[in-house]
Amino acid sequence: MPKNSSISRRSLLGGALAGGTVAAAGIGSASPAEALVATSATPGRRPGQKSMVNVAFDAHGTVRVGVVGLGNRGSGMVQGWAAVPGAVVTAVCDVRADRVKRTADQLVAKGKPRPAEATGSTDAFTRLVTRDDVDLVYIATPWEFHYEQGKAALLAGKHVMVELPVATGLEELWDLVDTSERTRRHLMLAENCSYGRNELAMLKMAHEGLFGDVTNGHGGYLHDLRSLLFSDTYYTDSWRRLWHTRSTASFYAMHGLAPVAAAMDINRGDRMTKLRATATEPKGLADYRERFVDRSHPSWKETYINGDLVTCLIDTARGRVIRAEHDVSSPRPYSRINTLAGTRGIFEDYAGGASGGAGRVYLEPAHGGHTWRDFAPYRAEFDHWLWKKIGDDAANNGGHGGMDYVLQWRTVQLMRAGEVPDIDVYDSAAWCAPIPLSVASLAAGGSPVAFPDFTRGTWAKPRTGLDSRASEMPPVA
């Protein structure tokens, strides 16, 4: 990890003090053994607190959605929520009144009811989450607000979907798990990539044994964001670039980690047990600034400490290894990597397959000669029922190739039908835990740190998740 004497203890821990157990692992004086043990403590449940595993939603005739945060992400997702059958956006919130009015006007222009508007202060979200006409709170604010707003929504008796990450500190992740268990309300990471078409086909192939015994996977978020990070308008108040000045964490590997974890049945027969991290020097943003950013820009007062490429190696209880990577500071084409391998074969996404981007596979006994085959026929054969059912609607109503809308449609369907969520608070916490754990490992010289068991033991029991069976959206009255 690059040395910088001005980095505070709080900054090291994912931008939010993650509690004494992680702090012990995050300081360089911790021995490897201490680092491994320090993050492993499992807090006990309070009296009356129970697991949320396999807990179904109460059935909702209509799902009333409140949206907090109307920047680039939130404003786009509003349109998807409003398009799902049986869902209505009843309230919108942002500290900037012009965004709130614009979003409400857009919904009215599309023939939708005008939502209630909450704005004017940093605590305006509290007025939204306490409304009686909101069932699901969707949060799309900057990362530093996710934990506070997500917890407030749970305490107000609402189900919650939070954009990545749900929290950045280990203590915060545990608190969201505990609050979900106490309030009996679900909190879900808005992990749209888990509903990607290739990712879901890969999941089905893994569960049907095409890769044999799955041994390893590779996922992450490799996205050249340099021009957007230095834009004065894209990330409000430069919030995302500023994270690179105050934390060494692997911020956002969940987009690739989550699909691999699902294919390995993490929290559903296997679990992640320890993590060790490495990082390259933080050179990319400074180099970009030197070449393209005027000296009058406020970024010239900043020092970047987040490594360009942060790599986490994660072990599982069943002896598998996941490599999760994060890099938004380097020149490169976009990739979530999305690779899964086992004793009978391998799938690699973003590899320029014969169909121009559908990935490539090598599966025994069908393939030989050490020659990759195109993934497209396999995706057609193992296409998930959600994409077969609403693929056309997804393309017309959602971003990121339609997987945003698939996530939204499926969430509304589950809430209206009174079924168990595909992604629960334990998945959400586990997928986000590499943020504070990578900081702890880097601070301990790359030593392994223990991965918490947020399920408190129920991970060993197989259960369904994203590998759901086909079902119908309840009819709209």
Side-chain angles (χ1 to χ4, degrees):
M1 182 184 72
K3 294 182 179 179
N4 188 326
S5 60
S6 66
I7 303 172
S8 70
R9 190 166 181 261
R10 179 181 179 87
S11 297
L12 279 171
L13 299 173
L17 190 60
T21 56
V22 181
I27 302 304
S29 61
S31 70
E34 290 170 335
L36 184 59
V37 172
T39 56
S40 64
T42 300
R45 287 189 171 103
R46 297 181 185 179
Q49 187 174 318
K50 298 183 295 183
S51 172
M52 291 294 286
V53 167
N54 288 330
V55 173
F57 291 107
D58 293 332
H60 295 72
T62 299
V63 176
R64 301 168 298 178
V65 183
V67 178
V68 180
L70 299 172
N72 293 297
R73 182 62 174 160
S75 61
M77 289 290 278
V78 164
Q79 309 307 320
W81 289 118
V84 178
V88 59
V89 177
T90 54
V92 292
C93 173
D94 196 282
V95 294
R96 290 164 175 78
D98 60 320
R99 292 179 176 177
V100 173
K101 183 179 183 304
R102 180 172 63 249
T103 300
D105 289 346
Q106 290 171 343
L107 288 172
V108 172
K110 290 189 174 184
K112 305 296 182 180
R114 189 175 193 89
E117 302 173 31
T119 187
S121 64
T122 56
D123 64 352
F125 74 92
T126 61
R127 301 200 299 274
L128 182 145
V129 303
T130 54
R131 293 183 61 88
D132 292 336
D133 61 351
V134 171
D135 305 306
L136 173 69
V137 176
Y138 167 73
I139 296 171
T141 52
W143 301 339
E144 50 263 43
F145 305 119
H146 289 184
Y147 162 68
E148 176 189 5
Q149 293 170 348
K151 181 177 181 178
L154 289 173
L155 291 173
K158 306 300 191 289
H159 299 294
V160 193
M161 178 174 283
V162 188
E163 278 297 332
L164 288 62
V166 296
T168 60
L170 196 57
E171 188 174 77
E172 294 173 344
L173 292 171
W174 271 116
D175 193 31
L176 290 177
V177 168
D178 290 344
T179 304
S180 175
E181 291 184 346
R182 288 196 298 272
T183 60
R184 315 309 295 163
R185 292 293 180 267
H186 287 293
L187 181 140
M188 303 156 282
L189 183 70
E191 186 39 86
N192 55 345
C193 296
S194 291
Y195 289 93
R197 199 162 202 161
N198 282 10
E199 286 84 346
L200 286 174
M202 179 184 76
L203 171 76
K204 286 192 65 180
M205 291 171 67
H207 286 181
E208 294 194 28
L210 269 73
F211 304 111
D213 188 357
V214 172
T215 59
N216 68 95
H218 185 192
Y221 187 72
L222 308 178
H223 191 183
D224 182 0
L225 293 179
R226 293 172 301 166
S227 63
L228 296 179
L229 290 173
F230 285 100
S231 167
D232 291 329
T233 57
Y234 193 82
Y235 293 114
T236 305
D237 299 327
S238 303
W239 69 264
R240 190 160 181 170
R241 187 181 73 243
L242 292 177
W243 274 89
H244 290 258
T245 70
R246 61 179 183 245
S247 177
T248 61
S250 175
F251 293 135
Y252 209 73
M254 299 82 81
H255 273 334
L257 171 62
V260 171
M264 290 185 177
D265 294 315
I266 298 299
N267 290 341
R268 290 162 173 77
D270 198 0
R271 82 172 187 91
M272 296 181 279
T273 56
K274 62 182 177 181
L275 176 151
R276 49 204 181 276
T278 63
T280 64
E281 291 292 317
K283 295 183 177 182
L285 296 185
D287 177 76
Y288 183 90
R289 180 179 61 186
E290 178 69 34
R291 291 185 290 149
F292 300 113
V293 180
D294 189 87
R295 291 277 176 173
S296 64
H297 195 267
S299 65
W300 279 96
K301 298 178 182 179
E302 299 167 358
T303 299
Y304 305 112
I305 65 171
N306 188 258
D308 293 343
L309 175 65
V310 182
T311 301
C312 297
L313 286 178
I314 304 170
D315 294 348
T316 81
R318 292 182 58 182
R320 296 155 167 166
V321 175
I322 304 172
R323 178 158 50 112
E325 296 189 333
H326 177 266
D327 184 352
V328 299
S329 306
S330 304
R332 56 157 302 121
Y334 178 84
S335 176
R336 297 194 299 274
I337 308 167
N338 197 33
T339 294
L340 197 71
T343 57
R344 301 288 176 87
I346 182 171
F347 164 60
E348 286 190 351
D349 213 346
Y350 299 92
S355 63
R360 58 189 185 180
V361 293
Y362 186 83
L363 302 170
E364 292 179 343
H367 303 153
H370 306 283
T371 302
W372 289 102
R373 302 306 200 277
D374 184 39
F375 179 61
Y378 289 90
R379 192 177 83 170
E381 181 179 356
F382 293 94
D383 204 14
H384 195 278
W385 71 268
L386 280 166
W387 280 95
K388 292 179 180 179
K389 187 175 187 65
I390 62 168
D392 291 341
D393 288 341
N396 294 326
N397 290 307
H400 297 99
M403 61 189 178
D404 290 348
Y405 184 76
V406 175
L407 164 70
Q408 294 172 304
W409 190 96
R410 176 62 172 164
T411 302
V412 171
Q413 182 205 28
L414 290 167
M415 291 186 66
R416 295 189 64 221
E419 297 182 6
V420 176
D422 295 342
I423 298 170
D424 60 26
V425 69
Y426 309 108
D427 302 318
S428 304
W431 298 344
C432 295
I435 298 174
L437 296 182
S438 63
V439 175
S441 177
L442 289 170
S447 296
V449 295
F451 213 106
D453 173 18
F454 294 103
T455 73
R456 293 179 168 101
T458 60
W459 64 268
K461 300 176 182 178
R463 56 192 175 97
T464 58
L466 290 154
D467 56 340
S468 57
R469 294 182 178 179
S471 57
E472 297 296 323
M473 176 72 79
V476 179

